[in-house]
Amino acid sequence: MAIATNIMHDAGNTRERSQSARELTGSEIVCEALVREGVEFIYGYPGGAIIPFYDALTSYPDLHHVLVRHEQAASHAADGYARATGKVGVCAATSGPGATNLVTGLATAFMDSVPVVAITGQVARPLIGRDAFQETDIIGITQPITKHSFQVHSMDELAPAIHEAFRVARSGRPGPVLVDIPKDIQQARAWYDPANYQTSEEQLRHEQETVSRPAAHLIDQATQMLSGAKKPLIMAGHGIILSGAYKELKAFAEKTSIPVITTLLGQSAFPEDHPLHLGMPGMHGPAHVNRAIGESDVIVGVGLRFDDRVTGKVDEFAPNARIIHIDIDASELHKVKVATVAIASDARVALEALTESVQPGDYQEWFERIRAWQTESDERVGMGQWDPAYPSPMDVLQTIYKQTEGKAIVVSDVGQHQMWTARFYPWTRPNSHITSGGLGTMGFSIPAAMGVKMGMPDAPVWVVVGDGCVQMNIQELATLQQERVPVKIAIMNNGYLGMVRQWQQFFHSRNYSETPISGPDYVKLAEAYGLTGIRVTKSDEVEAAIQQAMETPGSVIVEFVIESEACVYPMVAPGAAITSMIEESERRA
């Protein structure tokens, strides 16, 4: 807390007050700071230790509060809003169980580098440390899963803590920040002078204007490596989306003619219909992508951290390749794979510099070799992966793309449907793929999609979710209805916790221990929440159902009853090299 404390006291009451200064309660100061930071929505749930904040909130109509039905949904909704808009998402909860219910969502945002500010109420200062009713050490709990956690100890610290939280959340590698405010501080009074605080947006613009170029000698080393490459690849991750480096990535790829691979969180960072795009790598990446990594001699990794689901057995990942690794977070460099050239830089700035330095390339023979592998892989996918008696996930996803003309933002949950979505939805719109990657949080999609739609009201928003995940935050259907947020929800219902069942099939002799799962009648459930429900049991019903969902006002649930033992192919066994894949030909083996 030392850094935060120094900043707070530096911004105390020692400055002269401007004419805009006013004496306010602590809760009003929080609201004033949020308005100044440009906050539109707060996703939250009231309780005893944060009542003063909610009392003040009614006087600030510019702050639209969304009453979720569970605090975990508040943090996911703030996360979805932030991913879709690039702004900081905000959530709020009371002390104790309210605050701890935010934890999973904050960990999700932390793992995926999403800027979120969480405001929690705390028991009054004299009660802290005495096991008071609904007291929890939320600072101790959240320190490992936030960029920073503040607990406000005095009125002088309050406004600086809020503004600093936004700056920390969005600067450098983004991430969540928590501000814990005791109830008596919310009720006390102090002066707030907005002239004393530069907003995080203003600070961010200043930081962007003063960003230094990557070290010239590193750019030279990377350029020299690429000049001698015969089988190069670009691997693009979430950092491309976070930095808005779409144009820069495309320019670099087109100048060099290097094929582009996009990670799970990098999907939609590079248009899938571009001739240089190959697909997704890793545990469920198509065979031609993983084979290309196995044979590559130079990999340019931009804005990714070489996650274990990408690398498989690390020692056998890209065994012939030298690596150029670009990441804004220097701690990620060399952490998993030792890079030959490690560049700590914003992806956009680094790609600009690298594009200026490199010479045009020609890798036609390498590219044709990869495309030949892809043709083989595509043929295997077409050889009966799906039982024609059921709606196939591939048809569902491609029909959503067709019906929305590629303009949808798709929010997937975690499991088989997540991998099918990543593989079979055509990602042509920038930042159109939103999912929980690092933490793999089931229950993410519905509340996250609510935040996405509220942040991007003109875009069609689809949820793709399994029958296990959907039941984890299904109560947020009530919030969607209350807020009149039109989200379309495609449930892939196979009657199992599908991905766990698939592992049990492949690695545990089909011992389906606790993976069969029942659920409600989703059509009746939708009606109970005042929504529309549609059930699809046949492949020839898919197109009409999706069209009906698109034409129906409000949120719509479309339940697709898919094959119960459908699997995601290919699959790399845990601990194996990504070139050792279980392919479609072993289906039902």
Side-chain angles (χ1 to χ4, degrees), residues 164-234:
E164 180 68 0
F166 279 82
R167 187 197 69 78
V168 171
R170 72 190 312 162
S171 63
R173 178 180 179 173
V177 178
L178 181 135
V179 185
D180 193 44
I181 310 173
K183 186 172 183 178
D184 59 319
I185 285 182
Q186 297 174 51
Q187 295 170 313
R189 300 186 69 84
W191 286 87
Y192 175 70
D193 189 347
N196 287 344
Y197 305 103
Q198 191 178 37
T199 69
S200 59
E201 279 196 1
E202 293 165 342
Q203 290 173 327
L204 184 63
R205 283 195 296 270
H206 175 71
E207 289 171 8
Q208 289 173 336
E209 290 167 1
T210 58
V211 166
S212 60
R213 291 171 63 87
H217 73 281
L218 295 177
I219 295 298
D220 289 343
Q221 289 176 23
T223 300
Q224 290 172 12
M225 279 178 57
L226 287 170
S227 68
K230 302 298 183 185
K231 300 177 181 180
L233 293 171
I234 297 167

Side-chain angles (χ1 to χ4, degrees), residues 181-338:
I181 310 173
K183 186 172 183 178
D184 59 319
I185 285 182
Q186 297 174 51
Q187 295 170 313
R189 300 186 69 84
W191 286 87
Y192 175 70
D193 189 347
N196 287 344
Y197 305 103
Q198 191 178 37
T199 69
S200 59
E201 279 196 1
E202 293 165 342
Q203 290 173 327
L204 184 63
R205 283 195 296 270
H206 175 71
E207 289 171 8
Q208 289 173 336
E209 290 167 1
T210 58
V211 166
S212 60
R213 291 171 63 87
H217 73 281
L218 295 177
I219 295 298
D220 289 343
Q221 289 176 23
T223 300
Q224 290 172 12
M225 279 178 57
L226 287 170
S227 68
K230 302 298 183 185
K231 300 177 181 180
L233 293 171
I234 297 167
M235 290 182 63
H238 196 204
I240 298 294
I241 293 170
L242 293 171
S243 66
Y246 308 103
K247 180 180 69 175
E248 290 75 16
L249 175 61
K250 187 177 179 183
F252 176 63
E254 290 179 344
K255 183 175 182 180
T256 60
S257 300
I258 298 176
V260 179
I261 295 168
T262 47
T263 67
L264 175 65
L265 290 179
Q267 297 285 62
S268 75
F270 190 82
E272 191 170 298
D273 56 358
H274 193 285
L276 288 172
H277 186 263
L278 296 184
M280 182 181 78
M283 178 173 279
H284 294 293
H288 69 278
V289 175
N290 289 340
R291 290 180 69 179
I293 292 171
E295 290 203 11
S296 173
D297 59 1
V298 174
I299 289 177
V300 184
V302 190
L304 78 165
R305 54 190 180 85
F306 294 106
D307 176 82
D308 63 288
R309 286 297 194 262
V310 167
T311 63
K313 188 177 182 181
V314 175
D315 292 346
E316 297 184 30
F317 174 80
N320 305 310
R322 293 178 294 168
I323 292 175
I324 301 165
H325 191 183
I326 299 168
D327 199 288
I328 199 168
D329 185 353
S331 70
E332 292 294 344
L333 303 174
H334 307 300
K335 188 167 79 174
V336 177
K337 289 291 291 184
V338 175

